[in-house]
Amino acid sequence: MERREMLYREEMEKYRQERPKIQQQFSDLKRKLSEVSFDEWMSIPEVGDVRNKRQRNPRAEKHTPVPDSVLMRAAMQQEAATSVDPRDQPFDGILTPGFSTPAYNIDMKKIGQARNTLMDMKLTQVSDSVSGQTVVDPKGYLTDLQSMLPQHGSGDINDVKKARLLLKSVRETNPMHAPGWIASARLEEITGKVQAARNLIMKGTEHCQQSEDIWLEAARLLPNDMARSVIAQAVRHLPSSVRVWIKGAELETEVKAKKKVLRKALEQIPNSVRLWKYAVELEEEEDARVMLSRAVECCPQSVELWLALARLESYENARKVLNKARENVPTDRQIWITAAKLEEAHGNTAMVEKIIERALMSLRANMVEINREHWMKDATECDKTGCVFTAQAVIRAVIGHDVEEEDQEDTWLEDAELCSGQGAFECARAIFAHALTIYPSKQNIWLDAAHFERNHGTRESLEGLLQRAVASCPKTEVLWLMLAKSRWLAGDVPAARNTLAQAFQANPNSEEIWLAAVKLESENNEYERARKLLEKARSSAPTARVFMKSAKLEWCLSELKRGEELVLEGLAMFQDDPKLWMMKGQLAEQRGDTDAARQAYQEGVKKCPRSVALWILLTQLEETKHQLIKARAVLEKARLKNPQNAELWLESVRLELRAGNKAIFMEGRPQRKTKSVDALKRCEHDPQVLLAVSKLFWIERKLQKAREWFMRTVKLEPDLGDAWAYFYKFEKIHGTDEQQNDVLQRCVQVEPHHGEGWCAVSKAIANWKLKTDVVLKLSAEKLPMPA
């Protein structure tokens, strides 16, 4: 039933995709009706009566009475004859039926009733003894009847008869042709005549005694006991057939009997690798080692047997086995790699590099092509099995093979990413190490390696790499900052200060390093040190950002007057910086001076007309003072200055509707899916659209789809804090503790900085020292439930 319903649903979905409903076809036209004005609607002419004349003026139906002759004839046919016509007995007997015999009509209705009665009797016979119940499934009855039909494909019985005739012709024309007998037997098996199939295949074995396929087919069709006797006949005619011997071993039920069959087989075919492998699998470890010793003598070219024997031997004997294997099969790389693994497993790591180098030299000497992809794949497998030194040695040996010099950097970075994606982290680490030895001054390679160590390595490995990185690229500020941050997160504040001091020496007057030092001191409650650092930065490297951070520090420490002074100093030097104008207005708002805040925002939008945030702050100020007309005018002016800006249009909608919903959620529930599809088509890579679709699935209680779309959103734009907050809120309600912690850890790792709800929490002055995990939890609590 479930399968039938599932097939029915799939067919209906496919049918609806090919032939959508009229409602779906005209949905876009119905949406456009909203653009029709009242005058246009009233000007549409009324629909006339398009029916034809006969439909508009129906006449009374005419009924013609049935003639009496028809009624009389019908009555005569229903009468029962009580006497015999004398014409039928001119010679004291009924006439033989012929052309002169009257033809009476057959009553088909009574025949149908009799058939229904017969079917009812048969169904009653299979009824259960319990009253009201039956063993016949009314829904699956036809299916059961269908299953009783011969399963011979999509053709009918006539096709089976034709096939029988053709195969009979094949057998009679060429009785020594084994496929003809096999096909005939399978045809009978498919049509349900198993005994006929067995008889045919046995006749085939008499005509084709040298065909192993026909013997194997006979063993398959016959019962187990008879199949064993058939296989016994087969091995007398085909003593060198590996497949027949293996089939004979499979037919045995006891392990001892299987071993006996395989040993007889090995006496007949001692060079069959397949037989040896099958026989070894049945033995215990000690007996298997003895058998493998004999196997490599009989099959010296089989690498699998040599490697299996090496795995069962002791260290010294395994080395001897592998040396013999290299002598017999000098063109196989797996023997060399296994030897390297053996040395690594016994702590002899110094030999691993030498073995891999000798392997490449030997293979080249034997005219073997070095395939870089195959060796890289072998290295990945070694890494996954824990043979780290072997994997790294293989990487170092083949990383530069068949790679042009101008393509080396891109190729190696792609290889490292591929290995990392497959979980072969040691291989990726070896690739980065080799690339950095060739290109020690490439900062992008150092950054990729640092990100790799941060995600998959330890703190010690990350700091060790970053120390080498800053020594090779001392002018790269981000490397210094990553090293300082790593030490600070580990709780080693003096080491972080020392790192930043070294960074100052290598990059004097660097804004990023100054601000990193300030953040380090302020996070550790060293506010006076932070103020002194900012004072030095303003004198030696004065930038708008330095002044903004200086004013924000004073603001956070409740020194509003000093903060305003620093903002004014910054504006005297950098009048085109929008953040300083924002801070000036916000400081005025905090002390309650609305006119000063309005004046600051108005001056800011004059100096920075492209700053959308300034226009929105001015709008919100007017709205808080209930000046909606002024707020609308500000937004209209902002849209003229910044045409086609989505944030300004969104703010306009919010101003009018007093709500924070986007277009998808302004629609009614039935139209939301259509609106979301339109949005995805037009803005496929917009994280806000993906976030809206995620919330839509959440509302509809499609939890798994909602989770998948949340993951797509944070993967597309990991810096969008609102997406992380909604994702965490979703998991808090519908997820497990493990899923909640996973979202929390991933958010802490990427450290998002944007999003309206996120910034409302993270940039609040009271929350200036909160960590990312706390900001995530507060943002998730403050965000409204989607509805």
Side-chain angles (χ1 to χ4, degrees):
M1 282 296 295
E2 294 180 357
R3 179 175 176 272
R4 191 181 300 113
E5 292 175 358
M6 183 177 66
L7 291 175
Y8 175 74
R9 286 198 298 270
E10 292 178 356
E11 290 177 359
M12 286 300 298
E13 291 176 1
K14 184 178 180 181
Y15 178 80
R16 288 304 179 196
Q17 290 177 358
E18 295 176 353
R19 301 178 182 177
K21 293 182 180 179
I22 296 178
Q23 180 182 2
Q24 297 173 348
Q25 294 178 1
F26 291 94
S27 59
D28 55 341
L29 299 177
K30 290 170 67 177
R31 288 198 298 269
K32 291 184 179 179
L33 288 177
S34 61
E35 302 174 1
V36 179
S37 64
F38 180 77
D39 296 334
E40 291 175 345
W41 182 267
M42 295 303 296
S43 63
I44 298 175
E46 295 291 335
V47 179
D49 194 349
V50 296
R51 297 180 298 168
N52 56 29
K53 184 177 180 181
R54 182 177 297 174
Q55 291 174 333
R56 291 197 305 270
N57 301 313
R59 296 182 180 181
E61 295 184 4
K62 295 181 179 180
H63 299 282
T64 303
V66 181
D68 293 341
S69 59
V70 176
L71 298 175
M72 288 293 294
R73 190 180 300 115
M76 291 174 63
Q77 291 176 355
Q78 296 295 331
E79 289 181 355
T82 59
S83 62
V84 180
D85 192 342
R87 291 178 301 173
D88 294 340
Q89 295 183 339
F91 301 105
D92 297 331
I94 298 175
L95 292 175
T96 302
F99 292 100
S100 62
T101 304
Y104 295 100
N105 294 329
I106 300 174
D107 192 349
M108 300 300 296
K109 182 178 179 181
K110 291 185 177 180
I111 293 177
Q113 292 174 352
R115 184 181 60 185
N116 292 338
T117 304
L118 182 62
M119 178 62 73
D120 184 56
M121 290 172 61
K122 289 183 177 180
L123 292 176
T124 305
Q125 290 174 0
V126 298
S127 298
D128 199 357
S129 59
V130 182
S131 176
Q133 296 184 2
T134 176
V135 297
V136 178
D137 181 11
K139 293 185 179 180
Y141 183 66
L142 293 179
T143 306
D144 294 338
L145 291 178
Q146 187 69 24
S147 65
M148 296 171 64
L149 296 176
Q151 300 297 321
H152 54 266
S154 59
D156 54 9
I157 302 298
N158 291 326
D159 294 334
V160 177
K161 292 180 179 179
K162 290 178 183 178
R164 281 200 183 102
L165 289 174
L166 288 173
L167 291 172
K168 182 179 180 182
S169 176
V170 170
R171 297 195 306 270
E172 292 176 352
T173 305
N174 187 4
M176 306 299 291
H177 187 60
W181 293 98
I182 295 174
S184 301
R186 289 187 178 176
L187 176 64
E188 299 300 335
E189 182 189 11
I190 290 172
T191 55
K193 298 181 178 180
V194 180
Q195 189 58 45
R198 291 171 179 172
N199 295 335
L200 277 172
I201 203 66
M202 291 307 296
K203 288 181 181 179
T205 57
E206 296 175 2
H207 290 86
C208 309
Q209 295 179 351
Q210 298 301 316
S211 172
E212 65 177 11
D213 290 330
I214 202 166
W215 288 107
L216 293 173
E217 185 69 13
R220 185 183 69 83
L221 288 172
L222 293 170
N224 203 16
D225 295 337
M226 297 178 66
R228 280 200 291 266
S229 63
V230 168
I231 290 297
Q233 296 178 31
V235 296
R236 283 197 293 269
H237 293 93
L238 299 168
S240 300
S241 174
V242 176
R243 293 170 61 196
V244 171
W245 284 107
I246 290 179
K247 183 65 177 179
E250 290 175 349
L251 290 173
E252 299 293 341
T253 55
E254 297 181 359
V255 178
K256 187 177 181 180
K258 289 178 182 287
K259 293 179 181 180
K260 185 177 180 181
V261 172
L262 289 172
R263 285 172 182 170
K264 288 182 179 180
L266 289 171
E267 291 176 2
Q268 299 290 332
I269 321 169
N271 59 349
S272 173
V273 177
R274 188 177 175 187
L275 283 175
W276 281 110
K277 288 171 62 177
Y278 197 172
V280 168
E281 289 175 358
L282 298 176
E283 301 291 343
E284 298 294 334
E285 183 176 347
E286 190 63 33
D287 296 333
R289 182 162 54 246
V290 175
M291 289 197 71
L292 283 171
S293 301
R294 175 60 180 162
V296 294
E297 294 177 4
C298 298
C299 308
Q301 300 298 318
S302 174
V303 178
E304 293 182 62
L305 295 178
W306 283 108
L307 297 181
L309 178 58
R311 283 193 288 269
L312 293 177
E313 292 286 358
S314 61
Y315 173 56
E316 294 297 333
N317 291 335
R319 294 179 69 179
K320 295 177 182 179
V321 169
L322 291 174
N323 288 332
K324 289 181 181 179
R326 287 200 294 266
E327 294 174 2
N328 287 279
V329 192
T331 58
D332 192 277
R333 70 181 187 280
Q334 292 297 336
I335 299 174
W336 293 95
I337 294 175
T338 305
K341 290 181 180 179
L342 178 65
E343 298 297 338
E344 180 180 355
H346 289 83
N348 195 2
T349 56
M351 286 294 296
V352 174
E353 197 87 27
K354 295 179 181 179
I355 291 174
I356 298 299
E357 291 176 359
R358 286 172 57 194
L360 293 174
M361 292 173 60
S362 175
L363 292 173
R364 290 192 182 101
N366 286 281
M367 306 300 293
V368 177
E369 181 184 359
I370 305 300
N371 191 311
R372 184 175 181 273
E373 293 183 1
H374 291 171
W375 282 88
M376 295 287 287
K377 186 176 180 180
D378 292 336
T380 303
E381 294 297 327
C382 291
D383 191 353
K384 292 180 180 179
T385 55
C387 301
V388 176
F389 289 96
T390 304
Q392 293 179 345
V394 172
I395 291 293
R396 286 191 292 268
V398 300
I399 189 66
H401 184 72
D402 283 345
V403 180
E404 298 294 335
E405 186 175 354
E406 59 269 16
D407 298 333
Q408 283 183 347
E409 182 180 348
D410 295 335
T411 303
W412 291 344
L413 291 179
E414 290 176 4
D415 291 337
E417 184 178 358
L418 180 63
C419 291
S420 177
Q422 294 176 349
F425 301 131
E426 294 299 331
C427 289
R429 192 170 282 115
I431 293 172
F432 279 123
H434 181 79
L436 290 171
T437 57
I438 305 299
Y439 302 105
S441 59
K442 288 281 188 179
Q443 65 178 20
N444 61 321
I445 301 179
W446 284 110
L447 286 173
D448 288 346
H451 288 305
F452 170 78
E453 291 294 344
R454 185 179 65 180
N455 295 329
H456 305 292
T458 61
R459 184 178 70 87
E460 291 77 11
S461 63
L462 174 61
E463 292 184 5
L465 177 73
L466 289 172
Q467 286 177 353
R468 298 197 305 272
V470 296
S472 300
C473 304
K475 297 296 182 182
T476 306
E477 300 172 357
V478 65
L479 295 173
W480 288 103
L481 296 177
M482 289 180 70
L483 179 58
K485 184 176 180 179
S486 175
R487 290 175 171 174
W488 169 49
L489 292 176
D492 194 352
V493 178
R497 287 190 184 125
N498 186 31
T499 301
L500 291 175
Q502 295 176 8
F504 279 126
Q505 296 176 2
N507 301 275
N509 300 328
S510 171
E511 177 190 273
E512 292 290 340
I513 296 176
W514 278 112
L515 296 180
V518 171
K519 183 177 181 180
L520 176 65
E521 301 299 342
S522 59
E523 290 287 345
N524 289 280
N525 300 325
E526 298 287 344
Y527 303 123
E528 291 302 323
R529 294 173 68 103
R531 282 171 171 160
K532 290 180 180 178
L533 286 171
L534 286 169
E535 186 177 354
K536 291 180 181 179
R538 291 195 301 272
S539 60
S540 59
T543 62
R545 192 177 174 200
V546 169
F547 276 98
M548 187 266 293
K549 291 292 184 180
S550 302
K552 185 176 180 180
L553 179 63
E554 301 296 340
W555 188 3
C556 294
L557 297 176
S558 302
E559 298 289 340
L560 300 183
K561 185 176 181 181
R562 178 57 181 161
E564 288 183 324
E565 292 176 357
L566 290 171
V567 168
L568 293 176
E569 289 181 22
L571 288 173
M573 300 175 64
F574 307 99
Q575 295 186 358
D576 57 346
D577 185 74
K579 290 189 176 180
L580 289 174
W581 290 108
M582 290 183 215
M583 291 190 70
K584 182 179 180 182
Q586 289 170 339
L587 285 167
E589 279 190 78
Q590 184 164 347
R591 71 170 188 267
D593 193 345
T594 306
D595 295 334
R598 184 184 291 111
Q599 183 179 0
Y601 292 143
Q602 289 174 348
E603 291 179 6
V605 296
K606 290 179 182 177
K607 299 290 184 181
C608 312
R610 299 294 179 188
S611 175
V612 176
L614 264 174
W615 288 105
I616 293 177
L617 283 174
L618 179 56
T619 303
Q620 292 174 350
L621 177 65
E622 300 294 352
E623 187 179 3
T624 55
K625 300 303 177 184
H626 307 289
Q627 299 290 333
L628 293 180
I629 297 177
K630 286 187 178 181
R632 292 191 186 100
V634 169
L635 282 174
E636 186 173 354
K637 188 175 181 181
R639 292 197 301 271
L640 290 174
K641 297 284 186 180
N642 302 275
Q644 298 182 351
N645 186 280
E647 295 182 28
L648 290 173
W649 283 104
L650 179 60
E651 187 64 26
S652 300
V653 173
R654 288 175 173 174
L655 178 66
E656 298 298 333
L657 298 179
R658 301 288 194 274
N661 298 320
K662 296 179 174 60
I664 290 177
F665 296 99
M666 289 166 60
E667 295 285 345
R669 283 183 180 268
Q671 289 79 27
R672 287 184 181 180
K673 284 188 178 180
T674 306
K675 181 64 71 175
S676 63
V677 172
D678 294 343
L680 283 172
K681 288 180 179 178
R682 299 182 183 181
C683 312
E684 183 180 359
H685 300 292
D686 191 326
Q688 295 289 351
V689 173
L690 296 183
L691 179 59
V693 174
S694 306
K695 293 190 285 186
L696 178 62
F697 283 125
W698 186 1
I699 294 171
E700 295 180 352
R701 304 290 295 177
K702 297 179 180 179
L703 303 182
Q704 186 58 36
K705 281 191 174 182
R707 183 176 287 110
E708 292 174 0
W709 279 84
F710 274 125
M711 293 181 71
R712 289 179 61 180
T713 306
V714 298
K715 185 177 181 181
L716 176 67
E717 183 53 72
D719 198 46
L720 183 61
D722 288 0
W724 287 105
Y726 269 114
F727 194 7
Y728 185 75
K729 190 181 188 75
F730 171 81
E731 296 295 357
K732 286 286 288 184
I733 298 174
H734 303 290
T736 62
D737 293 338
E738 183 179 354
Q739 291 171 328
Q740 297 167 20
N741 292 331
D742 180 59
V743 175
L744 183 64
Q745 295 300 326
R746 290 170 60 190
C747 179
V748 170
Q749 188 174 4
V750 299
E751 294 184 357
H753 296 91
H754 296 90
E756 297 178 46
W758 182 272
C759 291
V761 176
S762 64
K763 293 192 175 182
I765 297 300
N767 302 333
W768 71 290
K769 292 185 66 177
L770 295 183
K771 303 292 184 182
T772 304
D773 55 344
V774 182
V775 175
L776 175 65
K777 294 177 181 179
L778 290 177
S779 301
E781 290 178 3
K782 292 188 176 181
L783 286 176
M785 285 288 294

